[in-house]
Amino acid sequence: MTETIPYEVTGKEGEIEFRKYPALVLATVESFGDDSGFNLLFAYISGKNTAKDSLQMTAPVITSAKIPMTAPVVSNASTMSFVMSPGKTSDEIPEPLDGKVRIVPVPEREIAVITFKGKTHDEEVKDVEAQLLKGLRDAGIEPAGEVFLMRYNQPWIPGFLRHNEVGVEIKR
């Protein structure tokens, strides 16, 4: 069973749930829409790091047009990130041996999310993103970053059983 990052529910507005997440550390790579990002991150947590340690996989896997939940980075690629074990600081995470993998600390923050089931086809994800942003606008809440996708299941899980979320950092 994959550990899921902890959060505290801070409110609800229709189908949008507001959550407070603790400070986290992400292992992040640029990904060009193929499996290369996942493969690089999996190699990192499987021991391709300075400590040669296997690191625990934590859900969700986060994909974004920019580095998720942090200041924007200009790039034509999207990013894929694995969340490191909660409670660890970036100093406690071994350095990657592959320069394409970056360790990114993310401060405590509040996130608005909508949960959905199924595969994460671009069209469906864009529809859920639009729902989230419209719901926030209607509630008078401003997003404070880029929208990102969180996937919680292994690739072999059938689509109808998959748990996914679209989220964005907010300030309220």
Side-chain angles (χ1 to χ4, degrees):
M1 180 86 172
T2 305
E3 181 181 9
T4 302
I5 54 176
Y7 58 84
E8 172 191 338
V9 176
T10 58
K12 202 159 172 56
E13 181 75 38
E15 62 191 327
I16 300 172
E17 185 173 82
F18 302 107
R19 301 174 181 168
K20 184 176 180 182
Y21 282 89
L24 300 169
V25 178
L26 305 179
T28 300
V29 296
E30 286 190 357
S31 179
F32 294 93
D34 56 14
D35 289 334
S36 62
F38 183 88
N39 294 338
L40 287 167
L41 290 168
F42 190 77
Y44 168 70
I45 67 167
S46 296
K48 195 171 180 182
N49 56 63
T50 53
K52 296 187 177 13
D53 282 345
S54 289
L55 306 173
Q56 184 175 0
M57 178 98 179
T58 305
V61 172
I62 303 169
T63 53
S64 173
K66 300 183 186 294
I67 292 180
M69 303 178 273
T70 61
V73 169
V74 178
S75 171
N76 291 331
S78 62
T79 61
M80 180 177 283
S81 302
F82 284 6
V83 180
M84 300 293 93
S85 291
K88 297 271 186 188
T89 67
S90 53
D91 294 339
E92 297 170 306
I93 305 293
E95 285 296 313
L97 294 177
D98 189 319
K100 294 177 190 147
V101 178
R102 292 178 292 132
I103 303 303
V104 180
V106 179
E108 177 181 280
R109 71 225 168 276
E110 190 173 23
I111 305 294
V113 301
I114 291 180
T115 300
F116 66 102
K117 299 262 184 235
K119 295 197 175 196
T120 53
H121 299 294
D122 287 345
E123 199 61 37
E124 183 172 6
V125 172
K126 287 194 183 316
D127 288 346
V128 177
E129 285 179 13
Q131 276 179 271
L132 176 62
L133 294 173
K134 181 184 181 322
L136 290 174
R137 259 192 322 275
D138 291 350
I141 299 170
E142 287 291 317
E146 296 292 321
V147 177
F148 52 89
L149 171 66
M150 298 183 285
R151 293 177 286 178
Y152 287 83
N153 303 104
Q154 294 84 359
W156 58 85
I157 300 296
F160 67 94
L161 293 175
R162 291 186 187 185
H163 172 156
N164 309 294
E165 297 173 337
V166 169
V168 66
E169 183 176 356
I170 58 170
K171 299 282 188 220
R172 54 179 191 143

